[in-house]
């Protein structure tokens, strides 16, 4: 898997950019899936789904004791991102409408910067996890990442 693909897949799997978490939650949903289509990322949030997906992946990876810290860091980066997204969704719902277009752009810029920081943290955690896996485990992880829907960035 090329570094470019790994970056995109890492952002989708363990990234909290709203599209990334939605893709993780709805593993395998085809583009245009009517269940997902037209819903905001705040509506695609079920932490139980993420827990189940993470548990399934951990089981498939058959991690050793030495690999566990990297797994926990990657898993926790997703949890932190999900928690932050839930807080962001609640804050957005409680906000008044922006005063004008400049206010709207400033709010969006602030949220995008926070998302970028979270994606960077998660990307690093996924790469760190991948770096401690053996060849067979890397195949399992790459297969998992490859099957997730991806955004174009």
């Amino acid at each position: 898997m090329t570094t470019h693909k790994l970056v995109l897949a890492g952002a989708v799997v363990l990234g909290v950019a709203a599209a990334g978490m939605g893709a993780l939650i709805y593993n395998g949903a085809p583009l245009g899936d009517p269940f997902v289509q037209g819903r905001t990322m705040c509506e695609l949030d079920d932490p139980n789904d993420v827990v189940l997906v993470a548990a399934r992946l951990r089981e498939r990876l058959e991690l050793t004791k030495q690999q566990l810290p990297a797994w926990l860091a990657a898993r926790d980066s997703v949890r932190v991102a999900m928690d932050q997204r839930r807080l962001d969704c609640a804050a957005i719902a409680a906000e008044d409408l922006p005063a004008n277009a400049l206010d709207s752009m400033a709010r969006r810029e602030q949220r995008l910067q926070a998302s970028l920081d979270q994606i960077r943290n998660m990307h690093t955690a996924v790469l760190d996890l991948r770096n401690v896996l053996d060849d067979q485990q890397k195949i399992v992880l790459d297969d998992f990442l490859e099957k997730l829907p991806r955004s174009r960035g």
Side-chain angles (χ1 to χ4, degrees), residues 7-153:
V7 169
L8 290 175
V12 172
V13 165
L14 298 174
V16 62
M21 293 315 302
L24 178 61
I25 291 167
Y26 295 99
N27 184 9
L31 286 173
D33 185 328
F35 179 70
V36 176
Q37 190 175 16
R39 299 178 72 192
T40 69
M41 293 316 300
C42 292
E43 296 172 312
L44 294 175
D45 188 11
D46 185 350
N48 294 321
D49 288 343
V50 174
V51 169
L52 292 173
V53 169
R56 186 174 66 222
L57 178 59
R58 180 179 176 182
E59 182 180 299
R60 288 182 58 209
L61 287 172
E62 299 179 8
L63 298 167
T64 67
K65 184 185 278 188
Q66 294 80 13
Q67 295 167 327
L68 198 54
W71 166 260
L72 294 174
R75 184 204 63 195
D76 290 348
S77 70
V78 172
R79 286 185 179 171
V80 167
M82 289 289 295
D83 290 345
Q84 186 58 52
R85 195 183 81 203
R86 278 191 290 281
L87 291 173
D88 291 345
C89 288
I92 290 167
E95 282 180 351
D96 291 330
L97 287 174
N100 55 42
L102 290 176
D103 185 29
S104 179
M105 286 186 274
R107 289 181 190 185
R108 184 73 177 142
E109 181 181 11
Q110 195 173 30
R111 287 189 182 101
L112 287 171
Q113 184 59 53
S115 291
L116 178 59
D117 293 343
Q118 291 170 343
I119 289 170
R120 285 180 176 150
N121 291 339
M122 291 179 286
H123 179 236
T124 298
V126 171
L127 287 176
D128 290 348
L129 171 62
R130 191 171 190 287
N131 287 335
V132 301
L133 298 178
D134 64 31
D135 291 341
Q136 184 58 38
Q137 290 169 315
K138 286 178 183 177
I139 291 169
V140 170
L141 179 62
D142 291 347
D143 181 61
F144 179 81
L145 295 175
E146 188 65 31
K147 289 179 181 176
L148 289 173
R150 294 172 286 290
S151 69
R152 295 196 186 272

